[in-house]
Amino acid sequence: MEVLTTVATMRERSRAWRAAKCRHGFVPTMGYLHEGHMALVERARANCDVVTVSIFVNPLQFGPQEDYARYPRDLDRDLAMLREARVDAVFAPSVAEMYPEEPLVFVEPTRLSDHLCGASRPGHFRGVATVVLKLFNIVQPDVAYFGEKDAQQLAIIRRMVRDLNVPVEIVGVPTVRAADGLALSSRNAYLGPEERAAAPVLYRALQLARDRILAGERDPGRVKAAMRECIAAEPQVRIDYVEIVDAGSLQPVERIEGRVLVAVAAFAGPSRLIDNVTVDVPAED
């Protein structure tokens, strides 16, 4: 496994693979890898000739009061995991390599970022879309793998690729969960014992919502109220948002029908956790 730290060396390696007609899979990460990341790597390894993983904590997607400085990092541990997974290359640039001067041009998502995490974290998805497009231009993969836990991010990246004619296939990979249902996240490392015990309430609330919708409830207000009541039973957890949106447009719905995304974000101690489920509403007679 090669560890590449410059744009020039990454592009050189990618050009060689392209000349050899290798199918190149890419998994962009911010490091501190867990089983969720490794599921993306496993999918890429199964479907591609060569696999690159990037490790880069992107400052553009963190707000001024967010956790950029203390975001968990352990490059040696990450590299050991990726070697075991038979990754071909790791692109691990410095901030100075990725942003050698103050960036003046950005990718600006519009309507898809108006709600959910976009409302809570202004500018976040501008930073995400910008760095992902930079990574696509540097790594030059044929296909890139993203987790469905970050459903809004996945929707924005898919639309960016379509709108800007980026020649990269985007593959979503289902959320990986702990035995108690908690979606795996690097930020779970921040959780203390009581907070960790309380955090699975997010998935219980999502399951409650899914069950009510499949049982016939079509009023999003009533479903969201039930979710809030469920989460409120855990004093360690503070809700950021509970939303039901159209799974394609990510816009709030007045009536639950078609395919909807039920999404939640909440704080458990210092950790902001997100989770979601997609529900296909049966057609009514």
Side-chain angles (χ1 to χ4, degrees):
M1 186 181 77
E2 294 183 278
V3 180
L4 310 173
T5 59
T6 69
V7 171
T9 55
M10 183 68 249
R11 281 182 168 160
E12 179 183 5
R13 183 62 61 242
S14 185
R15 281 195 297 268
W17 287 331
R18 189 172 296 277
K21 300 189 182 306
C22 294
R23 179 171 168 82
H24 183 184
F26 177 45
V27 179
T29 83
M30 293 204 301
Y32 211 73
L33 304 179
H34 52 66
E35 290 179 21
H37 296 111
M38 300 315 292
L40 306 181
V41 173
E42 182 179 354
R43 178 73 70 88
R45 184 75 280 169
N47 295 324
C48 299
D49 301 309
V50 293
V51 176
T52 296
V53 175
S54 65
I55 297 176
F56 179 65
V57 183
N58 175 38
L60 290 191
Q61 67 194 69
F62 289 80
Q65 305 303 318
E66 294 186 336
D67 58 346
Y68 173 72
R70 67 186 184 90
Y71 191 84
R73 296 164 169 88
D74 191 337
L75 183 60
D76 289 342
R77 169 183 167 276
D78 292 344
L79 294 178
M81 293 172 68
L82 296 174
R83 283 192 185 94
E84 186 174 349
R86 297 182 298 111
V87 165
D88 296 279
V90 174
F91 180 50
S94 65
V95 173
E97 180 69 16
M98 287 294 283
Y99 303 110
E101 55 187 334
E102 178 188 359
L104 300 179
V105 177
F106 303 87
V107 179
E108 187 72 68
T110 55
R111 196 164 58 240
L112 288 174
S113 64
D114 287 347
H115 304 287
L116 307 177
C117 290
S120 301
R121 304 180 69 188
H124 170 69
F125 287 114
R126 182 176 82 157
V128 169
T130 299
V131 79
V132 170
L133 184 58
K134 283 173 68 71
L135 288 167
F136 285 171
N137 286 332
I138 296 164
V139 177
Q140 300 175 33
D142 297 297
V143 54
Y145 297 82
F146 293 84
E148 293 178 354
K149 179 180 77 70
D150 298 297
Q152 189 172 21
Q153 170 180 278
L154 178 57
I156 288 170
I157 297 305
R158 280 180 165 150
R159 187 56 183 259
M160 178 186 77
V161 163
R162 292 203 304 272
D163 285 356
L164 301 184
N165 302 106
V166 182
V168 178
E169 176 189 350
I170 304 301
V171 175
V173 178
T175 301
V176 177
R177 301 182 180 279
D180 58 8
L182 179 64
L184 298 189
S185 168
S186 298
R187 287 187 169 92
N188 291 355
Y190 300 154
L191 297 172
E194 292 184 358
E195 295 155 356
R196 176 61 185 82
V201 73
L202 300 186
Y203 187 51
R204 293 199 298 273
L206 291 168
Q207 290 178 303
L208 171 65
R210 180 177 56 200
D211 291 346
R212 294 209 173 185
I213 292 169
L214 294 178
E217 180 60 74
R218 297 294 177 263
D219 183 337
R222 286 200 286 264
V223 175
K224 290 189 289 186
M227 292 177 67
R228 289 180 176 276
E229 183 178 355
C230 175
I231 296 169
E234 287 286 1
Q236 298 285 340
V237 178
R238 176 171 57 87
I239 294 172
D240 181 357
Y241 66 74
V242 169
E243 286 290 352
I244 300 175
V245 299
D246 179 88
S249 69
L250 301 187
Q251 301 303 298
V253 297
E254 295 184 359
R255 176 178 170 78
I256 299 172
E257 54 191 2
R259 172 169 283 194
V260 295
L261 180 75
V262 185
V264 60
F267 291 91
S271 296
R272 183 179 181 277
L273 307 177
I274 63 172
D275 203 351
N276 66 81
V277 294
T278 301
V279 184
D280 289 301
V281 180
E284 297 183 359
D285 297 332

